[in-house]
Amino acid sequence: MKFSSNDFKTSQNTYYNNHTHTQQETITDINAFVKRTYQLLAGSLIAGGVGAYVGLGFVQNMINPVSGSLTFVYWGAVILEFILLFGLFAAKNKTPLNLVLLFAFTFMSGFTLSPTLAFFISKNMGYVIGEAFVLSAVAFFGLTIFAMNTKRDFTTMGKMLFITLIVLVVASLLNIFLQLPMLQLAIASVGAILFSFFILYDTQNIIRGNVSSEIEAAVALYLDFLNLFVSLLQILGFLNNEE
């Protein structure tokens, strides 16, 4: 049996055509995954906004009018929020249960944020809420575009970001008892930087196909946006506080 150079060319062309076709399918799959993720993120932000609006009507039940402390209604809502989050990750691949849990969780996250929003409104600083949201949206959009176009790899920062997050949580819990304004400002400032890097980290993991579920990806980005918003809200609140 004789082989000609044309036989090898045919084999090579078949290999390259199949390889190119596989690459195109992979890119198409990732693009569809990213599109669905951001659609879910948009829906989550709407659900969170509705939750915050509804929560403002229940603030009087979540805050003790005498002592100003948070009531069992608030802490019950927080516990429900965490139950929904854990349930969401457990059922992230079970449609349509995962969608129900996603929007229920994001609704409750807005609901539990309402006492903070009510505080700013009561201090005639409702405009700060709008400023913080706009800044968060602009920062999120800018960081997303940067993460998608930069050659720098942020997916290797996971361990460092997680350690910083643990330190931030511990400091936040400590300041619940200390009630130090400057410490809270420092926590909020570090939080704004930290969750900006989380946006870069999560975005690159999503566009590189490192996340297995659109639900998981949407929740990660939603929490990044929410925590960036809360951090900027605290910073702006501190800067605009005339007391």
Side-chain angles (χ1 to χ4, degrees):
M1 182 180 292
K2 295 182 179 180
F3 294 96
S4 68
S5 60
N6 289 332
D7 293 327
F8 288 103
K9 288 179 181 179
T10 301
S11 299
Q12 288 175 339
N13 288 338
T14 301
Y15 169 77
Y16 287 123
N17 287 337
N18 290 337
H19 184 64
T20 302
H21 184 65
T22 302
Q23 284 183 320
Q24 289 174 341
E25 286 183 339
T26 302
I27 292 172
T28 301
D29 290 342
I30 292 176
N31 287 340
F33 182 94
V34 171
K35 181 180 179 180
R36 288 193 297 268
T37 295
Y38 282 93
Q39 287 174 339
L40 291 173
L41 173 62
S44 298
L45 290 172
I46 293 173
V50 172
Y53 179 79
V54 172
L56 288 174
F58 289 88
V59 167
Q60 58 187 4
N61 301 113
M62 291 189 278
I63 301 177
N64 189 310
V66 178
S67 63
S69 61
L70 297 170
T71 67
F72 288 110
V73 174
Y74 172 81
W75 292 114
V78 170
I79 292 171
L80 176 58
E81 180 184 351
F82 277 99
I83 291 173
L84 290 170
L85 179 60
F86 292 138
L88 175 59
F89 279 107
K92 62 183 180 181
N93 295 315
K94 298 178 181 179
T95 307
L97 177 60
N98 53 5
L99 292 175
V100 173
L101 290 173
L102 172 65
F103 295 125
F105 163 71
T106 51
F107 175 89
M108 288 306 301
S109 69
F111 187 88
T112 56
L113 184 62
S114 58
T116 300
L117 303 181
F119 170 80
F120 283 94
I121 294 173
S122 68
K123 297 292 184 179
N124 295 320
M125 291 196 296
Y127 62 92
V128 172
I129 299 172
E131 291 177 355
F133 183 83
V134 171
L135 285 175
S136 300
V138 171
F140 186 90
F141 179 78
L143 291 167
T144 299
I145 297 300
F146 177 73
M148 289 181 173
N149 291 279
T150 184
K151 294 181 179 179
R152 183 171 179 180
D153 186 6
F154 290 99
T155 60
T156 60
M157 299 179 64
K159 184 179 293 186
M160 182 181 68
L161 292 176
F162 181 74
I163 293 173
T164 306
L165 178 61
I166 295 299
V167 173
L168 196 68
V169 170
V170 172
S172 299
L173 292 175
L174 181 63
N175 202 41
I176 291 177
F177 303 99
L178 297 178
Q179 293 292 312
L180 298 175
M182 292 306 297
L183 177 57
Q184 188 58 45
L185 177 62
I187 292 171
S189 300
V190 173
I193 296 171
L194 174 64
F195 290 106
S196 294
F197 275 102
F198 261 116
I199 292 171
L200 296 171
Y201 170 78
D202 288 325
T203 300
Q204 285 197 342
N205 274 311
I206 291 168
I207 64 176
R208 295 184 182 190
N210 297 334
V211 183
S212 60
S213 166
E214 297 101 331
I215 294 291
E216 184 179 355
V219 169
L221 291 177
Y222 175 81
L223 290 175
D224 294 341
F225 183 93
L226 179 64
N227 284 290
L228 176 61
F229 167 72
V230 172
S231 297
L232 291 176
L233 182 62
Q234 292 175 345
I235 294 171
L236 293 174
F238 182 87
L239 296 177
N240 286 272
N241 189 3
E242 297 178 355
E243 295 182 2

